[in-house]
Amino acid sequence: PMLTRSPMRRVGRNTGPSQNTRLALCERSGSWCEMRLSGCTGKATEAAHRIGRKAGGRHGEALTESNRLSNLIHSCSTCHRWTHDNPALAQDLGLMLREYQDPSLEPVAYQNAGWVVLDDEAGLWPVAA
C-alpha cells in the first residue's frame, strides 16, 4: 500500500494582548471604536497595534512592548482595515507609528474628539493645541 502524508497543521502562537490588557483596553474605550473614522461601525472588536508586531519582533520583551496599552487602539474591523489600507494617513493621525517612536509619547487623534496621549495604565491625556 502507498503511504500518504496528511498535511501538517501549523500551530500558531497567540501573540496578541493578554486577557488583562484586553480588559483594560475595553475599560478605556467603553467597548467603542477609538478611531471613529468614516464608515466606522462603532463597536470595538479588535486591538489594533500602533507599531505593528512585526516591526519590533514577536518574541520576549519585544512582544510585551508591542502589547502595551499605549500601543493599542480598540477599533472596529472597518477602521482597523482602513489604517492598513492608508498607512500614511494613519501615521498622520497617530493611529500607526514607526518602530522607533514611543507610543506613550506620541499623540493620537482620538474618537474625533481631539488629540490625546495614551498611557500604559488605560489612561488618556488631552494634548494642548
Side-chain angles (χ1 to χ4, degrees):
M2 185 170 194
L3 297 176
T4 59
R5 287 189 176 176
S6 59
M8 291 183 68
R9 290 192 332 178
R10 184 175 174 194
V11 178
R13 293 183 325 125
N14 180 1
T15 59
S18 70
Q19 185 64 27
N20 286 341
T21 300
R22 286 184 180 277
L23 289 171
L25 189 60
C26 284
E27 184 178 314
R28 183 181 76 197
S29 71
S31 295
W32 292 102
C33 181
E34 294 182 299
M35 293 186 192
R36 301 271 175 98
L37 302 168
S38 179
C40 180
T41 63
K43 180 79 172 150
T45 57
E46 301 180 9
H49 290 82
R50 297 172 72 195
I51 298 175
R53 289 181 287 184
K54 289 182 181 180
R58 294 185 181 201
H59 304 287
E61 189 176 318
L63 179 58
T64 302
E65 283 292 304
S66 77
N67 289 314
R68 295 167 49 189
L69 280 168
S70 60
N71 192 46
L72 298 172
I73 300 282
H74 212 189
S75 68
C76 69
S77 59
T78 302
C79 289
H80 191 183
R81 185 173 37 255
W82 182 91
T83 63
H84 291 283
D85 291 345
N86 302 279
L89 293 171
Q91 286 175 0
D92 289 345
L93 296 172
L95 299 171
M96 291 181 90
L97 301 173
R98 301 203 184 277
E99 63 184 278
Y100 60 83
Q101 293 176 289
D102 182 342
S104 67
L105 301 176
E106 297 295 334
V108 60
Y110 190 83
Q111 296 184 341
N112 295 327
W115 292 88
V116 301
V117 172
L118 305 173
D119 67 25
D120 293 325
E121 285 76 44
L124 48 101
W125 305 93
V127 175

